Amino acid sequence: MSRWLGHLVGALAALVLAACATPAPSCDTQAPVPWRAVAPGVWVWEPAAPADISTANQGHVATTSVFIDGGEALVVDPGPSLRHGQRVRASLTCRFGARVRWVVNTHAHAENVLGNAAFADLQHRGQLDIVATPGTQAGMRQRCDQCLAHITEAAGAQALAGTTVVWPHRALAHGERLTVGRQQLQVLRVAQAHTEDDLLLWWPAQRVLWAGGLVYGDRLPELAQGSLSGWLRALTVIDALRPQVVIGGTASSAEGGRVPTLESTRRYLRALRDAVWAAMDSGRHASEAATLALPDFAHWAGYAQRQGFNVLRAWRELEPLWMNKGEAPDR
C-alpha cells in the first residue's frame, strides 16, 4: 500500500512539474520585440494603434514594459498571452542578456496579466517572483478564467494557444521596494480606482511612473471594476509625484510640467462626471444614461463599446451624492 501511495505521489508531482514547465523561448524562433526606450533602462512595447481586442492585434492593446539594470530585469504587465510573454522573455535574454527577477501585474485585466504564462516555469523553480497587490490577486482568481475565454474569443484561439492563467506568487504591500540591479522601485497601492486594487510603480531617481490602467491614451477608459471618484483621486496622487515619464496604456513624457496622457484621461473622467451630474440636475433618469454622449471623445477606440456602460456606472456612483445635495467629486 505504501509503495502504491509513493508511486501515486510521484506521478502527481510529475504532472505538476509538467504543467509548470514552459519551454524556454528560443532566440532563433521568436520575432524581435519593437522596444522603445523612454528612460535609462526603461523600454516599452506599445500597441501598434489604440484599439480594442481583436484578431488583428492578437489582444495586444496595453503596453508591456521592462526595466533593466545590472543584468537583471523587471517586467511590468507581460501581456495578453503565452506567445506575447515568450517574445518578451526571449528578447530580454537574447537582446539584453538580462535575467528576469520580477514580473509585476498592475491590475487584474486579461490583456495585462495572461503573459504570466511565459514565466511560470521560472516562478515554479524560484528564479523569479510574479507579484501583484492583494486585490489584484483576488480579482484574478475571481475573473481570469472567464477573461481567458473572453479574450480567446475576441483575439482568436491561435493567438492564445497554450495560454493558461498563472497566479501571482506573492502579494505586494504599499511602500514595498523592488530591487533591480542597483536600483529600487517603490510600490504604491491605489484602491477602488480603475479596478479594485491598482498598483503604481515609482522610480524616483528618474521620476518614472508605471501607472498600469490608471492612465490611457486615445482609448476610452474602462470603469467595469472601478470607481469614478476613486480614479480621479488616484490621478491627484500621481500629480503629487510630478513624474517626468508615465507608462500606462502608452508611454508619455511631461511637456511643460504636464503629462499628456494623464491630462487626457482626467479630462475624460471629469467630462463624464460633469455630464452625468448635469443630466441628474435636468431631471433625466438613469434609464436614459446610455444615450448620454461625449462627442469630444467619440474618436477614441472603444467609445462605441464602453461609453454607455461608463455612464451607467458613473450614474450609479454619483446618484447618492446628488440625492443628498452633495457636490460632485473632484470639484
Side-chain angles (χ1 to χ4, degrees):
M1 182 69 177
S2 59
R3 180 181 299 178
W4 176 86
L5 183 60
H7 285 311
L8 178 60
V9 170
L12 289 173
L15 286 172
V16 169
L17 289 172
C20 292
T22 304
S26 166
C27 296
D28 298 326
T29 60
Q30 294 295 325
V33 173
W35 296 112
R36 178 169 72 92
V38 296
V42 180
W43 302 78
V44 295
W45 180 12
E46 295 161 304
D52 274 9
I53 295 168
S54 69
T55 54
N57 57 40
Q58 300 184 333
H60 184 198
V61 298
T63 294
T64 295
S65 179
V66 297
F67 175 54
I68 303 166
D69 187 78
E72 293 188 337
L74 172 145
V75 179
V76 181
D77 291 338
S81 65
L82 170 66
R83 179 178 298 178
H84 186 100
Q86 285 178 328
R87 287 181 65 185
V88 172
R89 178 174 167 179
S91 182
L92 287 168
T93 299
C94 306
R95 175 175 174 176
F96 297 105
R99 179 180 73 88
V100 182
R101 177 67 188 86
W102 307 96
V103 175
V104 179
N105 296 157
T106 62
H107 61 291
H109 280 179
E111 61 267 31
N112 298 88
V113 305
L114 291 179
N116 288 356
F119 302 91
D121 61 318
L122 298 178
Q123 176 168 257
H124 180 73
R125 294 199 294 265
Q127 295 176 354
L128 62 72
D129 284 321
I130 301 176
V131 294
T133 63
T136 291
Q137 285 183 314
M140 287 179 65
R141 292 191 179 276
Q142 180 182 2
R143 297 191 298 271
C144 270
D145 287 336
Q146 182 179 355
C147 289
L148 176 57
H150 172 75
I151 197 173
T152 300
E153 180 180 357
Q158 183 176 358
L160 274 291
T163 303
T164 58
V165 179
V166 175
W167 314 114
H169 176 71
R170 185 164 72 79
L172 295 174
H174 182 80
E176 187 171 346
R177 296 181 185 274
L178 304 181
T179 300
V180 184
R182 299 155 296 180
Q183 305 297 325
Q184 288 194 332
L185 308 181
Q186 184 179 7
V187 174
L188 305 173
R189 288 178 61 190
V190 180
Q192 295 301 318
H194 171 54
T195 64
E196 57 271 86
D197 197 2
D198 294 287
L199 180 147
L200 300 171
L201 200 58
W202 174 234
W203 185 23
Q206 292 291 330
R207 310 205 72 78
V208 176
L209 180 75
W210 285 265
L214 287 166
V215 176
Y216 275 62
D218 291 340
R219 183 169 175 253
L220 203 76
E222 181 179 344
L223 273 172
Q225 291 87 35
S227 159
L228 177 59
S229 306
W231 200 332
L232 285 166
R233 286 194 298 270
L235 298 186
T236 301
V237 171
I238 294 175
D239 286 336
L241 296 172
R242 295 184 292 109
Q244 288 300 305
V245 176
V246 173
I247 302 168
T250 186
S252 185
S253 298
E255 300 173 5
R258 295 182 176 274
V259 179
T261 52
L262 176 60
E263 294 306 315
S264 63
T265 302
R266 188 192 337 262
R267 189 164 58 90
Y268 170 76
L269 294 174
R270 284 178 170 172
L272 176 65
R273 172 205 63 194
D274 291 347
V276 170
W277 200 268
M280 290 188 290
D281 276 343
S282 66
R284 296 177 69 177
H285 298 283
S287 59
E288 305 171 75
T291 64
L292 196 62
L294 293 176
D296 288 349
F297 305 94
H299 65 287
W300 282 12
Y303 179 88
Q305 292 81 6
R306 284 192 295 283
Q307 172 60 13
F309 179 82
N310 283 353
V311 171
L312 288 169
R313 289 282 301 196
W315 195 294
R316 185 172 69 183
E317 180 179 339
L318 294 175
E319 189 171 38
L321 289 173
W322 183 85
M323 293 287 290
N324 289 326
K325 307 296 185 183
E327 290 189 0
D330 192 43
R331 277 191 165 170

